[in-house]
């Protein structure tokens, strides 16, 4: 099943073109800004200010920090997995139905959209795609009208995709390939703007998410063959056991989406470096090599 959709194809699906084999999907706008800069929705969560100005017709805003992540606590990392009840309520509010296609988009970077895509798959929804290139690539109509879709019926089934904990990530770095989706500078330990310690999980391989997308259209994925070649150069093929982490579990979802485009399954470490580095008993490697 496809995991991304082009703007042209999505436009066909939304207009009900006879050439489109899909029913119109439910649209989720997951543009991401710090929570403090957002405004209330009236449902207990904030809303991106750009959403009110312009969004795809019918798209419902979903907030990453409050609906696609749980509360931060000691040892959780910065974006823990959400409570399934909170996540399910947010998806039903947005009109998500079991068995009905969903398309998610963000401003164009793709990280937040990939997080929503991964969470829906983890929660048991089987027909979810990301708009390739996000809002920045969309050339169709936009609106400021906020929709009120009928309540959806989606009930999460957590665990439909596997996850790694810290011990599992450490083990996979030895037995398979553990990818670090952060920038090369953070991987090497040259800078660390957010977390307690700079460096990477010993054995992890540097694979910045920025190399998943094209230079000509930032945010749009490279072709599947090019992504497969990229991951093959990192020692990965369709039979490799692959895990991915980043700083907080958001951009790692983008890497997992890129791997899926290339036909490769991968497992997320949701706690990621923010969880790993918060535990002083965990080893840290620096430099360009996995260590």
């Amino acid at each position: 099943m496809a995991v991304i959709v082009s703007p042209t194809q999505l436009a066909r699906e939304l207009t009900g073109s006879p050439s489109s084999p899909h029913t119109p999907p439910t649209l989720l706008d997951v543009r991401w800004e710090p929570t403090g800069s957002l405004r209330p929705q009236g449902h207990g969560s904030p809303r991106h200010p750009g959403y009110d100005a312009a969004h795809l017709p019918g798209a419902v805003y979903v907030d990453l920090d409050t609906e696609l992540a749980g509360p931060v606590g000691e040892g959780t990392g910065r974006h823990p997995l959400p409570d399934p009840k909170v996540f399910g309520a947010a998806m039903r509010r947005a009109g998500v139905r079991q068995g009905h296609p969903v398309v998610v988009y963000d401003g164009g970077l793709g990280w937040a959209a990939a997080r929503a895509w991964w969470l829906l798959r983890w929660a048991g929804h089987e027909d979810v795609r990301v708009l390739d290139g996000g809002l920045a690539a969309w050339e169709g109509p936009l609106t400021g009208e906020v929709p009120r879709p009928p309540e959806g019926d989606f009930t999460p089934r957590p665990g439909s995709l596997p996850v790694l904990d810290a011990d599992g990530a450490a083990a996979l770095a030895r037995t398979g390939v553990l990818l670090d989706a952060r920038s090369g500078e953070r991987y090497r330990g040259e800078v660390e703007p957010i977390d307690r310690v700079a460096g990477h999980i010993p054995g992890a391989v540097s694979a910045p998410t920025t190399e998943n997308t094209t230079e000509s259209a930032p945010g749009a994925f490279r072709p599947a063959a090019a992504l497969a070649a990229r991951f093959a150069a990192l020692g990965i093929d369709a039979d490799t056991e692959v895990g991915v982490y980043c700083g907080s579990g958001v951009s790692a979802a983008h890497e997992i989406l890129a791997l899926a485009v290339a036909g490769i399954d991968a497992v997320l470490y949701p706690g990621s470096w923010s969880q790993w580095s918060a535990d002083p008993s965990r080893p840290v490697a620096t430099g360009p090599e996995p260590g």
Side-chain angles (χ1 to χ4, degrees):
M1 181 176 292
V3 293
I4 59 174
V5 60
S6 70
T8 301
Q9 177 61 27
L10 179 58
R12 292 194 190 103
E13 294 178 20
L14 293 176
T15 57
S17 167
S19 63
S20 173
H22 299 283
T23 56
T26 300
L27 295 178
L28 305 182
D29 183 314
V30 290
R31 280 176 279 180
W32 183 31
E33 295 288 347
T35 301
S37 70
L38 305 184
R39 66 189 67 178
Q41 286 194 33
H43 294 274
S45 60
R47 188 162 72 220
H48 189 288
Y51 173 83
D52 286 339
H55 53 266
L56 270 66
V60 175
Y61 184 76
V62 177
D63 180 57
L64 188 149
D65 288 309
T66 61
E67 297 175 315
L68 303 182
V72 175
E74 184 176 356
T76 63
R78 286 194 307 279
H79 286 105
L81 297 183
D83 182 312
K85 292 182 180 179
V86 173
F87 178 66
M91 294 300 99
R92 290 189 293 274
R93 172 184 64 80
V96 174
R97 290 173 279 158
Q98 189 67 47
H100 186 82
V102 176
V103 170
V104 294
Y105 70 89
D106 58 24
L109 184 62
W111 293 5
R115 170 78 172 201
W117 166 83
W118 184 88
L119 278 171
L120 278 163
R121 296 296 310 280
W122 168 79
H125 202 297
E126 297 181 352
D127 191 353
V128 189
R129 292 166 293 161
V130 168
L131 175 60
D132 196 20
L135 187 64
W138 179 252
E139 297 181 351
L142 296 171
T143 183
E145 181 179 352
V146 177
R148 293 287 183 264
E151 183 86 359
D153 64 3
F154 178 67
T155 300
R157 301 190 307 277
S160 297
L161 292 180
V163 296
L164 294 169
D165 59 13
D167 289 340
L172 185 56
R174 297 189 298 268
T175 62
V177 177
L178 180 66
L179 298 179
D180 185 318
R182 300 172 301 158
S183 69
E185 293 84 358
R186 291 182 71 187
Y187 171 87
R188 294 189 295 270
E190 297 166 3
V191 297
E192 182 44 67
I194 305 173
D195 294 313
R196 186 182 69 85
V197 178
H200 59 268
I201 296 174
V205 176
S206 180
T209 55
T210 52
E211 297 180 21
N212 294 329
T213 55
T214 66
E215 294 182 2
S216 59
F221 281 100
R222 295 164 65 185
L227 287 170
R230 181 204 178 192
F231 294 122
L234 298 173
I236 297 170
D237 60 27
D239 297 322
T240 307
E241 189 177 7
V242 184
V244 187
Y245 74 95
C246 58
S248 69
V250 176
S251 66
H254 188 275
E255 193 98 291
I256 290 175
L257 181 57
L259 285 155
V261 171
I264 300 166
D265 293 330
V267 182
L268 177 69
Y269 170 27
S272 285
W273 185 248
S274 56
Q275 182 186 57
W276 182 281
S277 63
D279 183 348
S281 71
R282 295 283 176 190
V284 172
T286 57
E289 301 300 324

